[in-house]
């Protein structure tokens, strides 16, 4: 192992069918108003986590919540997990604000 640790799951994106209604519900649930509020995405920061609402699952076509692990060095972590047998579905890309992301890795082993 290279020792590149994780910082835990800090981002969870939720596909929603009605963005306006979901925004009201999540604001009540989290006790804060959204920090990002657009027609294509609403994002909340609460208790050290980022909760995002994505209408219709966004261009990714999400059908359920997607959790994102935060790591200090995404390239090093991808090298580590692929060496352990994972397959990366998408290359690293900038998702805005300097944040980098890659599609979840899945095991190549049964």
């Amino acid at each position: 192992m290279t020792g590149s640790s994780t910082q835990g799951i800090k981002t969870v994106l939720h596909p929603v069918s009605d963005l306006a209604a979901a925004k009201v519900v999540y604001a009540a649930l989290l006790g804060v108003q959204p920090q990002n509020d657009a027609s294509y995405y609403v994002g909340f920061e609460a208790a050290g986590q980022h909760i995002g609402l994505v209408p219709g699952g966004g261009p990714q076509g999400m059908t359920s919540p997607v959790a994102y692990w935060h790591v200090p060095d995404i390239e090093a972590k991808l090298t580590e997990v692929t060496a352990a047998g994972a397959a990366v579905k998408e290359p690293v890309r900038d998702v805005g604000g300097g944040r980098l992301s890659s599609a979840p890795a899945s095991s190549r082993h049964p």
Side-chain angles (χ1 to χ4, degrees), residues 31-71:
V32 297
Q33 292 302 307
Q35 283 68 42
N36 304 89
D37 192 350
S39 62
Y40 59 89
Y41 183 80
V42 172
F44 296 87
E45 298 289 337
Q49 295 213 327
H50 182 81
I51 306 299
L53 307 178
V54 183
Q60 310 92 323
M62 292 183 298
T63 57
S64 63
V66 176
Y68 289 85
W69 290 86
H70 287 219
V71 296

Side-chain angles (χ1 to χ4, degrees), residues 11-99:
T11 300
V12 180
L13 301 184
H14 296 266
V16 297
S17 58
D18 184 335
L19 187 61
K23 179 170 58 172
V24 173
V25 169
Y26 276 81
L29 171 69
L30 300 170
V32 297
Q33 292 302 307
Q35 283 68 42
N36 304 89
D37 192 350
S39 62
Y40 59 89
Y41 183 80
V42 172
F44 296 87
E45 298 289 337
Q49 295 213 327
H50 182 81
I51 306 299
L53 307 178
V54 183
Q60 310 92 323
M62 292 183 298
T63 57
S64 63
V66 176
Y68 289 85
W69 290 86
H70 287 219
V71 296
D73 183 342
I74 192 169
E75 294 291 352
K77 184 53 72 179
L78 287 175
T79 297
E80 189 176 339
V81 298
T82 56
V88 177
K89 294 182 180 182
E90 288 182 10
V92 174
R93 61 187 168 86
D94 189 321
V95 294
R99 292 181 180 160

